[in-house]
């Protein structure tokens, strides 16, 4: 059963624009993670945000977490064609549970 | 890819045949995972291991078995492959727990005819 649901399913933007992807989840979490998957490759970890954190930055990435709304957003600023990929959120609920992945947002950045 | 390899990378087999996929890591990570990725379903956990000879079921374990006799190797076996097991299979590892970031292998594309 999917915990995280990304929105939108697909997003197409021009190089230089910002890209925002959202993730909603259903139950309480210990942490939330974002991953990137380039076509035909494995997933690559981008950032982890804990339930007691509200915002985190890594380079051009900014992740926010709102536990009251059970949602997170991933912002990629000044996007590049190389950012074209699928982006997944994954939630960890704690108590020896497993990481549960959403279905992903497919981002296309046009040069 | 953090020292994680999968073999084979591509395989075509027939319904009813046994298939074994191998995941090999050089990171000395304690936890290892097998996922399948299908359109419309995202990534789903099949089985995972939290140490040598210690394994547990994930969300979609029916029709699959695993073994881990060494820290570096995690095998996924389809005892009798079915067309519904056509998928892309990913292995992942993490250092010390399910809460940590996971490192993924390049994937194995399996087609069951």
């Amino acid at each position: 059963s999917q915990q995280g649901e990304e929105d939108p399913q697909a997003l197409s933007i021009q190089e230089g624009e910002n890209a925002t992807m959202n993730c909603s989840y259903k139950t309480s979490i210990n942490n939330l993670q974002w991953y990137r998957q380039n076509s035909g490759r494995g997933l690559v970890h981008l950032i982890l945000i804990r339930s007691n954190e509200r915002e985190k930055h890594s380079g051009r990435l900014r992740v926010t977490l709102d536990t009251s709304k059970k949602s997170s957003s991933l912002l990629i600023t000044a996007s590049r064609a190389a950012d074209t990929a699928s982006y997944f959120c994954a939630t960890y609920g704690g108590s020896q549970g497993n990481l549960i992945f959403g279905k992903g947002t497919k981002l296309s950045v046009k040069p | 890819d953090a020292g994680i390899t999968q073999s084979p990378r591509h395989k075509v087999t027939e319904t009813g045949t046994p298939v074994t996929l191998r995941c090999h890591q050089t990171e000395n990570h304690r936890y290892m995972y097998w996922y399948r990725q299908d359109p419309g379903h995202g990534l789903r956990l099949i089985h995972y291991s939290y140490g040598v000879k210690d394994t547990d079921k994930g969300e979609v374990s029916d029709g699959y078995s695993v073994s881990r006799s060494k820290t570096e190797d995690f095998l996924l076996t389809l005892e009798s492959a079915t067309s519904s097991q056509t998928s892309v299979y990913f292995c992942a590892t993490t250092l010390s727990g399910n809460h940590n970031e996971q490192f993924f292998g390049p994937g194995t594309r399996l087609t069951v005819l």
Side-chain angles (χ1 to χ4, degrees):
Chain A
S1 59
Q2 241 71 32
Q3 162 78 306
E5 285 286 335
E6 291 90 343
D7 170 62
Q9 290 186 336
L11 179 62
S12 182
I13 59 174
Q14 295 293 130
E15 215 167 22
E17 294 180 339
N18 295 341
T20 299
M21 288 158 271
N22 302 297
C23 171
S24 59
Y25 56 92
K26 294 174 183 167
T27 61
S28 63
I29 61 169
N30 178 283
N31 72 52
L32 185 145
Q33 304 177 29
W34 285 92
Y35 289 79
R36 183 188 76 232
Q37 183 181 33
N38 291 88
S39 182
R41 307 288 295 272
L43 278 71
V44 174
H45 182 267
L46 294 176
I47 200 164
L48 181 154
I49 187 166
R50 293 182 172 78
S51 59
N52 61 352
E53 298 175 310
R54 291 297 166 258
E55 189 169 314
K56 212 162 179 181
H57 296 254
S58 176
R60 294 183 295 113
L61 306 181
R62 181 175 81 110
V63 168
T64 61
L65 179 65
D66 186 336
T67 53
S68 67
K69 294 182 180 178
K70 292 186 170 58
S71 68
S72 172
S73 67
L74 171 67
L75 168 67
I76 304 174
T77 59
S79 62
R80 305 166 182 167
D83 294 327
T84 294
S86 291
Y87 292 82
F88 295 86
C89 69
T91 53
Y92 175 68
S95 302
Q96 307 303 314
N98 292 301
L99 206 57
I100 300 177
F101 288 82
K103 297 177 185 179
T105 291
K106 193 168 185 177
L107 173 66
S108 174
V109 181
K110 299 180 178 172
Chain B
D1 292 329
I4 303 168
T5 57
Q6 293 184 229
S7 58
R9 292 293 315 278
H10 301 271
K11 186 169 181 67
V12 179
T13 191
E14 293 189 349
T15 297
T17 59
V19 176
T20 295
L21 308 183
R22 180 181 182 237
C23 177
H24 179 78
Q25 57 130 337
T26 58
E27 303 298 313
N28 201 33
H29 285 177
R30 181 181 167 197
Y31 284 67
M32 297 185 76
Y33 307 82
W34 276 108
Y35 293 92
R36 60 178 290 174
Q37 186 175 35
D38 304 287
H41 289 279
L43 221 62
R44 292 180 292 174
L45 181 65
I46 305 171
H47 281 281
Y48 69 102
S49 169
Y50 46 95
V52 173
K53 293 187 170 35
D54 291 323
T55 65
D56 206 348
K57 295 178 180 180
E59 179 190 353
V60 290
S61 59
D62 287 350
Y64 302 95
S65 63
V66 290
S67 66
R68 190 163 177 208
S69 58
K70 298 186 288 185
T71 298
E72 55 267 35
D73 289 324
F74 192 31
L75 304 180
L76 177 70
T77 297
L78 291 66
E79 300 290 347
S80 177
T82 67
S83 58
S84 65
Q85 293 176 313
T86 292
S87 187
V88 181
Y89 291 86
F90 287 99
C91 173
T93 71
T94 188
L95 178 60
S96 59
N98 291 333
H99 58 287
N100 289 336
E101 64 176 290
Q102 294 189 8
F103 299 89
F104 282 79
T108 293
R109 182 173 293 277
L110 176 68
T111 302
V112 184
L113 301 175

